[in-house]
């Protein structure tokens, strides 16, 4: 399954938001982590309840021909995550896409648990409206989404605090061995801070050097399963302050962000240094969606959701007043470890006057981008940037 236009739209939106965050010159820039896949799911779900010109606009930006096409796409996305064990910290009000594929009697021991991805879709509807049974069935059967009623007029701020379109997700552990104490990390403003790094030496990983940046891929070890379904791609600019230039290049042509286009051979690296990651990011995506051409769903006068709710005669149109998204990432040395590839190579011994070329290394000691990818479909589950390893925004 290739990444569809809807996923491409959501990835472009995410990279634009990342770039906007990097460009802030008032000292408020934050680490960013977003889930294009989660955003895609929510857009597909609300689009399936729209009609008229609103539906036409949804279909145009998402690259789908009709509602059936949208729901089929979403069904395939849910199928990708159906076998991933649910997160224990998703909370009582969340719905995990993996509930249908987990069995408490057969789960692996905790030390062999794969990375956890909990997909929690929630649609909050003003208490003055009632969903159509056909739309409610779609939200429950395909999107596994909860529908909640609230006073969105008088309690909007409280709802905004309580609702997240993506409930806390975890990725635990990439590199097992801790060989180095704190070391320098160079911030975009020129400052240098000391942070703990996860390190390993003389290891084989999927790696490639490009014109302006280098890419390292670390596959997750899925317990006793040899099928590595998820991987993390780290995109590190060559220049310590080169993240903005790299993101501008990628944002102008997001086809360069498609993991299937990265050709990453197995390379022996002299060392791999990665800072620990732990942060959250939340945002209301309405302005970003408008900037990307999706305007009608958020228009109080022109939206059409006649396939979602009952509307009394001469009632004002209903519209999306908040489109909240939150993601959390944690990467450390505990839990799942990086899968070290078994590689049989031939060492050619040349004349002694020639020296072997130095081994490449991957030292992420300055801001970089990352993507978490489902390897079979090459869909981007998460993407983000690390600007400051010590920052703990929005936790």
């Amino acid at each position: 399954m290739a990444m569809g236009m809807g996923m491409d739209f959501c990835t472009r939106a995410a990279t634009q938001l990342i770039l906007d965050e990097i460009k802030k010159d008032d000292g408020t820039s934050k680490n960013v982590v977003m889930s294009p896949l989660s955003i895609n799911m929510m857009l597909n779900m609300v689009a399936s309840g729209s009609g008229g010109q609103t539906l036409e606009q949804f279909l145009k930006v998402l690259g789908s021909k009709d509602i059936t096409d949208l729901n089929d796409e979403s069904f395939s996305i849910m199928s990708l995550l159906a076998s991933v064990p649910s997160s224990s910290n998703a909370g009582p009000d969340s719905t995990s896409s993996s509930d249908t594929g987990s069995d408490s009697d057969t789960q692996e021991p905790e030390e062999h648990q794969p990375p956890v991805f909990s997909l929690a879709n929630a649609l909050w509807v003003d208490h003055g409206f009632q969903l159509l049974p056909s739309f409610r069935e779609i939200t429950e059967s395909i999107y596994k989404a909860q529908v909640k009623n609230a006073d969105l007029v008088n309690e909007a701020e409280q709802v905004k605090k309580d609702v997240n379109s993506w409930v806390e997700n975890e990725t635990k552990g990439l590199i097992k061995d801790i060989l180095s104490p704190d070391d320098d990390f160079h911030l975009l403003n020129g400052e240098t801070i000391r942070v703990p790094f996860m390190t390993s030496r003389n290891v084989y990983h999927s790696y490639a050097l490009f014109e302006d940046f280098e890419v390292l891929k670390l596959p997750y070890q899925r317990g006793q399963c040899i099928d590595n379904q998820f991987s993390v791609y780290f995109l590190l600019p060559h220049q310590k302050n080169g993240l903005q230039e790299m993101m501008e290049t990628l944002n102008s042509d997001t086809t360069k962000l498609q993991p299937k286009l990265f050709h990453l051979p197995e390379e022996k690296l002299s060392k791999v240094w990665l800072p620990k990651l732990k942060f959250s990011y939340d945002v209301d995506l309405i302005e970003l969606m408008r900037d990307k051409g999706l305007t009608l769903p958020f228009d109080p006068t022109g939206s059409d959701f006649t396939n979602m709710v009952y509307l009394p005669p001469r009632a004002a149109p209903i519209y999306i007043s908040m489109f909240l998204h939150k993601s959390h990432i944690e990467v450390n040395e505990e839990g799942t470890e990086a899968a070290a590839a078994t590689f049989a190579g031939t060492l050619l011994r040349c004349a002694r006057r020639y020296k072997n070329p130095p081994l490449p290394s991957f030292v992420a000691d300055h801001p970089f981008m990352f993507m978490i990818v489902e390897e079979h479909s090459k869909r981007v589950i998460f993407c983000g940037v690390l600007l400051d390893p010590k920052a703990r925004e929005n936790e």
Side-chain angles (χ1 to χ4, degrees), residues 59-352:
L59 296 176
K60 180 179 179 180
V61 300
L62 296 174
S64 297
K65 58 185 179 181
D66 52 32
I67 290 178
T68 300
D69 194 26
L70 285 172
N71 291 334
D72 288 346
E73 170 77 1
S74 298
F75 182 80
S76 69
I77 292 175
M78 295 299 288
S79 297
L80 288 176
L81 302 180
S83 61
V84 181
S86 60
S87 172
S88 60
N89 60 2
D93 293 332
S94 67
T95 301
S96 170
S97 66
S98 57
D99 287 346
T100 58
S102 62
D103 187 337
S104 59
D105 293 330
T106 59
Q107 286 186 356
E108 297 168 1
E110 184 175 352
E111 63 269 22
H112 294 301
Q113 288 297 304
V116 178
F117 299 98
S118 291
L119 174 59
N121 295 321
L123 178 66
W124 290 62
V125 182
D126 189 85
H127 56 56
F129 298 96
Q130 183 179 357
L131 288 185
L132 294 171
S134 57
F135 180 76
R136 182 179 290 273
E137 181 181 356
I138 289 175
T139 62
E140 293 175 353
S141 63
I142 296 179
Y143 296 91
K144 313 300 181 186
Q146 285 195 345
V147 178
K148 295 177 176 289
N149 289 101
D151 186 346
L152 299 183
V153 176
N154 299 314
E155 300 178 4
E157 287 305 313
Q158 183 60 43
V159 171
K160 193 170 183 177
K161 293 178 182 179
D162 294 342
V163 181
N164 299 311
S165 60
W166 184 275
V167 179
E168 182 172 297
N169 297 272
E170 293 182 357
T171 57
K172 291 186 177 179
L174 290 175
I175 297 182
K176 179 180 177 180
D177 298 319
I178 304 300
L179 303 177
S180 173
D182 291 2
D183 215 307
D184 290 342
F185 188 93
H186 307 278
L187 305 179
L188 291 179
N189 62 7
E191 295 180 9
T192 299
I193 59 175
R194 304 285 286 187
V195 301
F197 280 84
M198 304 175 291
T199 71
S200 56
R201 299 179 184 275
N202 298 318
V203 290
Y204 285 96
H205 287 303
S206 299
Y207 170 86
L209 193 67
F210 297 96
E211 182 177 358
D212 299 318
F213 59 94
E214 54 191 311
V215 179
L216 172 71
K217 182 176 81 169
L218 295 180
Y220 284 111
Q221 181 180 2
R222 291 178 51 78
Q224 299 176 355
C225 178
I226 62 173
D227 181 18
N228 291 310
Q229 184 179 350
F230 298 97
S231 297
V232 182
Y233 292 69
F234 296 94
L235 286 69
L236 180 69
H238 297 326
Q239 302 298 322
K240 286 183 170 54
N241 62 348
L243 182 62
Q244 179 174 329
E245 182 177 353
M246 184 189 81
M247 291 304 305
E248 286 175 341
T249 299
L250 297 174
N251 191 52
S252 63
D253 182 7
T254 53
T255 60
K256 295 180 179 179
L257 277 176
Q258 294 186 16
K260 66 181 180 181
L261 299 181
F262 289 134
H263 300 289
L264 305 177
E266 291 291 320
E267 296 279 356
K268 186 175 183 179
L269 304 176
S270 61
K271 58 183 177 180
V272 173
W273 284 34
L274 289 167
K276 298 180 182 181
L277 313 181
K278 184 179 181 181
F279 60 90
S280 299
Y281 184 82
D282 60 74
V283 62
D284 190 333
L285 294 172
I286 288 182
E287 287 305 315
L288 182 61
M289 294 292 105
R290 286 174 174 157
D291 291 343
K292 291 297 181 182
L294 188 60
T295 59
L296 290 178
F298 314 105
D299 185 348
T301 62
S303 61
D304 183 346
F305 286 100
T306 52
N307 292 316
M308 182 183 292
V309 299
Y310 288 107
L311 282 177
R314 295 183 295 278
I318 68 166
Y319 65 101
I320 299 175
S321 59
M322 291 180 289
F323 190 50
L324 306 181
H325 177 81
K326 181 173 183 177
S327 290
H328 173 86
I329 185 171
E330 180 173 359
V331 175
N332 55 44
E333 75 282 1
E334 299 173 356
T336 308
E337 64 187 71
T342 302
F343 184 80
T346 303
L347 178 62
L348 300 177
R349 298 189 177 278
C350 302
R352 290 187 177 181

